[in-house]
Amino acid sequence: MANSRVLRFLGYPSFFITCFLVSLYLTFPMDVIRPRVMHEMTKALNSRKNPGPYGKPGRITVESMDLYRFSGLDFRGMTIHDVTTDPDPAAPIVLDRVRVRVGLLGLLRKQLAVSFNVDAYDGNVVGDAVLAGEGFRELRSVNAHGEGLAWGKVAAVRDKLKVPAEGTLGGEVDLTLGKDPKDANGTIKLRGESLAMGPGELTLPMFTGPLTLPRVDLGKLEGLIKVADGKTGGPPITLTGTDIQGAAELPVQVRVPAEASQLSGILQFKLSEPFLKANPRYATVFDFSPQMKQARDEDGVFHFRLRGTVGRPDAKPDRSAKVSLGK
């Protein structure tokens, strides 16, 4: 009898609390909080960069927003326009669905633990991140996995290349960060499958006009970037395709913002003999470009030394710049 009274004592309040939470979840006034959520997200986006007198502020729009697992939100049709420092609007980032959930216990330690699940560009990215500092605007760690992202559908890529691009990208990110970029440690793995680009007209800095490009098979991308004490290193990033083979060593000194990170690396690539035979005009085209002619060695490999920043890289021909593939 005593046990049954205890069960009734615990059961009735639990039942009513459950009913209350379910009813609150089902009748939550999303129309009331949606403007506030959108305002805070847009505010956070614009806090990253000043558009200046000629730029445009960033903005975020969504088609719908719903609750997700009590402590999260489910966005559908999210479009992100980043801040620009010039009058031209930024190429939008279009996300089909974004599910974000906050870990409530982390708030006791003045940290915001966020789990996310994003569907975009035919692929998916899932992971966790920890934010801290004033307004939780400091990213302290991120662990994420992505697969099947169609890079040719990304507006920024499409607008930059101006030629069709095929294949998918994926990888893993496992980074621990701090208040200072020198505290950054972790790894970034890159993967690409069935990559290709063209046909179309491609604009390259080393050519005075557009370069008519056939379909080029880029093949497979593999890379492992190791981050330690705010610097990146690791084995070369490789590209192995039927028409082109390439490799790059891209050591970076991490800065804030990321596009200001200092770059010092090497890039080399070679077009395959079957590709050159099928497209003989390319041998002549390269001879007319002083930079390409200076970069090509006796084996037909093009070598470039990279300088500048991640946001504004500068490539100079240098036959002495060679990537060690360890083979």
Side-chain angles (χ1 to χ4, degrees):
M1 293 295 292
N3 289 337
S4 63
R5 284 196 296 269
V6 171
L7 291 175
R8 284 198 298 269
F9 177 77
L10 296 176
Y12 287 136
S14 299
F15 173 75
F16 287 118
I17 290 173
T18 302
C19 290
F20 170 75
L21 291 175
V22 171
S23 63
L24 178 64
Y25 187 87
L26 295 176
T27 61
F28 198 82
M30 295 303 298
D31 292 338
V32 175
I33 70 164
R34 176 174 170 173
R36 180 64 180 178
V37 171
M38 300 306 300
H39 171 76
E40 290 298 327
M41 289 197 303
T42 302
K43 181 180 177 181
L45 177 66
N46 284 292
S47 67
R48 297 169 51 251
K49 186 191 300 182
N50 188 340
Y54 306 107
K56 291 183 178 295
R59 59 190 177 92
I60 300 176
T61 61
V62 296
E63 294 177 2
S64 67
M65 185 181 80
D66 296 296
L67 289 177
Y68 176 65
R69 295 186 180 178
F70 289 104
S71 64
L73 293 171
D74 185 348
F75 302 93
R76 293 180 183 269
M78 177 180 287
T79 302
I80 304 172
H81 294 267
D82 202 0
V83 183
T84 63
T85 55
D86 54 63
D88 295 329
I93 300 173
V94 182
L95 309 176
D96 299 326
R97 188 178 184 186
V98 180
R99 284 151 287 181
V100 182
R101 188 161 58 93
V102 175
L104 300 179
L105 293 178
L107 297 176
L108 299 176
R109 301 191 300 271
K110 297 182 179 181
Q111 292 184 338
L112 186 64
V114 179
S115 300
F116 54 87
N117 189 326
V118 181
D119 296 325
Y121 306 112
D122 300 337
N124 176 257
V125 178
V126 296
D128 303 281
V130 175
L131 299 98
E134 184 178 355
F136 300 114
R137 294 180 181 178
E138 297 177 8
L139 181 63
R140 293 296 173 84
S141 68
V142 59
N143 188 294
H145 169 88
E147 225 37 271
L149 300 170
W151 70 300
K153 294 186 177 183
V154 180
V157 174
R158 188 174 61 243
D159 294 348
K160 188 71 174 178
L161 293 179
K162 294 183 170 44
V163 297
E166 305 171 23
T168 59
L169 296 175
E172 289 87 35
V173 176
D174 185 5
L175 290 176
T176 300
L177 309 168
K179 292 183 178 181
D180 192 302
K182 294 181 180 179
D183 298 331
N185 289 278
T187 58
I188 302 172
K189 294 181 181 179
L190 303 174
R191 289 190 300 275
E193 298 289 343
S194 304
L195 303 177
M197 58 188 297
E201 291 191 342
L202 183 66
T203 301
L204 296 174
M206 61 280 295
F207 293 98
T208 56
L211 179 66
T212 301
L213 193 73
R215 183 184 182 279
V216 181
D217 182 90
L218 305 175
K220 187 175 182 179
L221 173 72
E222 291 183 306
L224 172 61
I225 301 172
K226 299 179 181 180
V227 183
D229 302 323
K231 298 178 181 179
T232 69
I237 299 170
T238 60
L239 185 68
T240 309
T242 303
D243 298 326
I244 188 172
Q245 296 82 43
E249 291 181 345
L250 303 173
V252 170
Q253 181 72 52
V254 181
R255 296 280 188 271
V256 177
E259 55 266 27
S261 298
Q262 294 294 314
L263 172 66
S264 175
I266 296 171
L267 170 67
Q268 69 181 44
F269 66 89
K270 181 180 181 179
L271 297 172
S272 69
E273 292 300 327
F275 177 84
L276 291 174
K277 288 182 180 179
N279 302 274
R281 67 182 182 278
Y282 273 84
T284 305
V285 168
F286 291 147
D287 286 336
F288 277 105
S289 171
Q291 281 191 307
M292 297 298 290
K293 193 172 182 178
Q294 293 172 25
R296 185 174 56 192
D297 65 18
E298 61 276 6
D299 296 321
V301 180
F302 295 88
H303 305 266
F304 292 90
R305 196 170 294 278
L306 304 177
R307 291 286 189 269
T309 65
V310 171
R312 291 180 177 274
D314 183 41
K316 299 292 186 184
D318 187 347
R319 295 181 189 177
S320 68
K322 298 182 180 181
V323 176
S324 175
L325 297 176
K327 295 182 181 180

